[in-house]
Amino acid sequence: MSQNREQWGSKIGFILAASGSAVGIGNIWKYPSIAGENGGGAFTIVYLACILIVGLSIVVAEFVIGRKTQLSPVGAFEQLAPKTNWKWVGYLGVAAAFVILSFYGVVGGWILKYIVDSFSGGFIELSGNTKAAEATFNSFITSTLSPLIYQIIFMGLCIFVIIKGVKGGIEKWSKIMMPLIVVLLGALAIRGMTLDGGMAGISFLFNPRFEDLTASAIVLALGHSFFTVSLGMGTMITYGSYLNKKQNLVTSALWVIFLDTAIALLAGVAIFTTVFALGADPAQGPGLIFVILPSIFPQIAGGTVWATMFFVLLFMAALTSAISILEVVTAYFIDQKGWSRKKATVQFGGIITIVGVFCSLSLGAEVIDGNGQDVGHGINLTGFLGMSFFDFMDKLSAKYMLPIGGMLTAIFILKKWGLTNYMSELKIGMDKMDLSSLLVRALLTISASIVAFIIFNEIYFQITGKALIG
Ligand code: PHE
């Protein structure tokens, strides 16, 4: 354990940084779009249940491992289980960081471009015209150069924050951006609710229609609960490793989960009230943010300002998450290889950006113009995967890497490290709060079993074409 390891400056700083990691594109883009496609309220209920059962116990587990070892994932598993294969759970996390950040950085770039477009009044010509908004979005993401420029700027900002370190970079920027996200989103939600017909959006989001609740929506909700609270790749181990022994890890985890969920729901309210007030289609999937919103914002008073606010807050949410992903990789090279923070950040931030370039290019591999001609640049890296490289990286991380990492973390505590050791670290900083180890064991066991089943179901589906559920 190095003597001069960096630490958080304050309790609130740590909670804001960890919730900054959790609150991201997952909350504001993915959650509303999958809830919209999967029946709204019913999906929301399953999602909340998954977060409370599986999410909470694994966030606490990651914090405990990080604080105990004061190391990032690879070193942490190695210290708690020396000379075993458990360190591979840590390596899986570092690999997942590469995979996620490569496409996350591309989406971060799209958001920057949409800030520029909305601010310069570019959405006005898309007003009420979903087709035009869709064509604009598609032609942007499939073009060769301009998405790359925005992606590189986004990744540059990410590197800039991480280089400044834990307290002077991550904590400082999270303390500025997290409150701003809440304020901007709150204003957008109030604006949406006061639009004529906006309240229909709220009942869509919260009224459970169980006939819409398919088994595949349940699987989706579980996978999403890992992604949205940044679980399964050691982000929370890394952030927990910068803690001293004074924090109550259960209340910290509850705060992170609460903020993450509250912001996802608030984003749902802001988006669906506006969508319903203007009679747009709520089940647009991924196009909800980049296609539907640009076509409806110009129709409300002050639309340019509201649209710019929305994309600025989405950018801040994306940046605070992206830095937490890069920090996992950076911390690995600092802890295990003795590199300087600057060298680790620049080198690996750069490599991830290059992988991201291929994610972006894979979307424009094939572009059919109005005459049926393929005018794409043909860089179709993963034709054999049956999907673009971008989608492959997204699916690989959300469906496999994060759930498997989370499941192995729970199993590690139950089977290797031992509940007694785990509980004695967990209880430090908890003062009077009592926690039954039976409950902790039950929650970790339930979480590991649910995830194991879901992963098995997914692999079974990939092999046989039939799912056990879903
Ligand atoms: N939680 C982030 C989001 O919701 C994504 C993320 C996943 C961040 C894994 C870190 C690790 O967008």
Side-chain angles (χ1 to χ4, degrees):
M1 198 187 307
S2 98
Q3 282 307 306
N4 47 12
R5 187 172 174 80
E6 295 178 83
Q7 290 219 319
W8 302 111
S10 63
K11 178 177 172 162
I12 179 87
F14 161 64
I15 291 179
L16 288 177
S19 18
S21 166
V23 173
I25 297 174
N27 303 61
I28 298 162
W29 180 35
K30 276 195 174 181
Y31 162 68
S33 51
I34 47 186
E37 280 182 318
N38 289 282
F43 179 85
T44 301
I45 289 184
V46 183
Y47 161 73
L48 293 180
C50 289
I51 297 253
L52 267 180
I53 300 170
V54 183
L56 181 61
S57 47
I58 300 181
V59 176
V60 174
E62 290 204 10
F63 281 166
V64 171
I65 293 175
R67 186 181 67 179
K68 168 78 188 168
T69 56
Q70 301 280 299
L71 286 169
S72 53
V74 175
F77 282 101
E78 212 159 42
Q79 193 190 94
L80 297 175
K83 304 204 170 48
T84 63
N85 281 325
W86 282 103
K87 61 175 175 298
W88 286 98
V89 182
Y91 286 119
L92 180 69
V94 178
F98 266 85
V99 173
I100 297 181
L101 193 51
S102 61
F103 72 85
Y104 211 89
V106 174
V107 181
W110 298 351
I111 298 168
L112 281 178
K113 148 92 173 160
Y114 271 64
I115 294 179
V116 173
D117 278 9
S118 54
F119 185 71
S120 59
F123 290 170
I124 293 170
E125 53 205 71
L126 307 176
S127 182
N129 189 346
T130 323
K131 284 259 168 315
E134 192 172 0
T136 308
F137 177 59
N138 284 341
S139 95
F140 168 63
I141 65 167
T142 55
S143 57
T144 309
L145 203 58
S146 71
L148 298 186
I149 295 171
Y150 286 104
Q151 180 221 352
I152 290 168
I153 298 175
F154 182 85
M155 289 300 296
L157 292 171
C158 196
I159 291 170
F160 169 80
V161 174
I162 291 290
I163 282 188
K164 304 270 183 205
V166 174
K167 199 162 132 195
I170 305 175
E171 180 170 350
K172 176 177 157 194
W173 286 101
S174 304
K175 275 170 140 172
I176 299 173
M177 291 198 272
M178 287 305 287
L180 271 173
I181 292 173
V182 175
V183 170
L184 293 181
L185 202 53
L188 273 150
I190 294 172
R191 169 76 275 224
M193 287 191 281
T194 51
L195 290 172
D196 262 354
M199 290 313 246
I202 306 242
S203 52
F204 173 75
L205 196 61
F206 295 115
N207 262 358
R209 290 170 307 275
F210 286 103
E211 63 278 15
D212 292 335
L213 191 62
T214 60
S216 71
I218 300 179
V219 177
L220 214 59
L222 185 87
H224 183 64
S225 65
F226 272 86
F227 187 84
T228 190
V229 265
S230 311
L231 285 184
M233 53 162 271
T235 319
M236 295 302 174
I237 296 183
T238 309
Y239 274 20
S241 76
Y242 303 127
L243 276 174
N244 58 37
K245 299 275 182 193
K246 290 188 207 116
Q247 293 259 19
N248 180 330
L249 297 181
V250 175
T251 45
S252 305
L254 281 169
W255 266 111
V256 173
I257 300 248
F258 166 74
L259 283 170
D260 185 70
T261 311
I263 291 179
L265 296 180
L266 205 57
V269 168
I271 292 166
F272 287 117
T273 47
T274 316
V275 164
F276 274 81
L278 294 155
D281 178 5
Q284 274 292 322
L288 191 61
I289 298 295
F290 293 106
V291 173
I292 298 292
L293 290 186
S295 72
I296 58 179
F297 269 130
Q299 298 175 54
I300 59 177
T304 299
V305 177
W306 291 111
T308 309
M309 268 168 60
F310 178 82
F311 284 101
V312 166
L313 84 88
L314 182 55
F315 159 73
M316 293 191 293
L319 187 64
T320 48
S321 297
I323 57 181
S324 75
I325 307 176
L326 186 54
E327 180 62 16
V328 171
V329 182
T330 302
Y332 166 74
F333 283 94
I334 296 175
D335 288 345
Q336 303 306 115
K337 306 278 173 205
W339 287 25
S340 74
R341 172 168 283 278
K342 190 167 170 197
K343 178 176 169 199
T345 312
V346 172
Q347 201 142 317
F348 284 90
I351 294 177
I352 293 173
T353 307
I354 294 170
V355 182
V357 164
F358 290 103
C359 285
S360 182
L361 290 179
S362 76
L363 296 175
E366 203 181 304
V367 180
I368 309 296
D369 74 0
N371 305 320
Q373 294 288 324
D374 180 1
V375 292
H377 49 56
I379 306 180
N380 191 356
L381 293 150
T382 50
F384 65 98
L385 291 164
M387 60 180 102
S388 68
F389 187 52
F390 181 102
D391 288 341
F392 172 72
M393 298 299 252
D394 182 5
K395 300 257 157 18
L396 178 67
S397 53
K399 281 192 157 170
Y400 300 99
M401 296 178 104
L402 298 184
I404 290 175
M407 176 186 73
L408 291 175
T409 306
I411 296 177
F412 172 76
I413 288 164
L414 293 167
K415 296 280 171 224
K416 180 69 195 172
W417 194 24
L419 209 63
T420 324
N421 291 332
Y422 176 71
M423 291 301 289
S424 64
E425 176 68 28
L426 173 60
K427 283 195 173 141
I428 299 173
M430 280 187 42
D431 299 330
K432 289 178 208 67
M433 211 167 142
D434 203 19
L435 203 62
S436 120
S437 56
L438 210 65
L439 177 71
V440 174
R441 181 190 293 279
L443 282 174
L444 285 170
T445 312
I446 294 171
S447 305
S449 320
I450 300 180
V451 182
F453 177 74
I454 299 292
I455 297 166
F456 177 75
N457 186 55
E458 181 62 34
I459 294 174
Y460 184 80
F461 174 72
Q462 294 301 337
I463 295 172
T464 63
K466 285 192 301 277
L468 298 172
I469 68 161

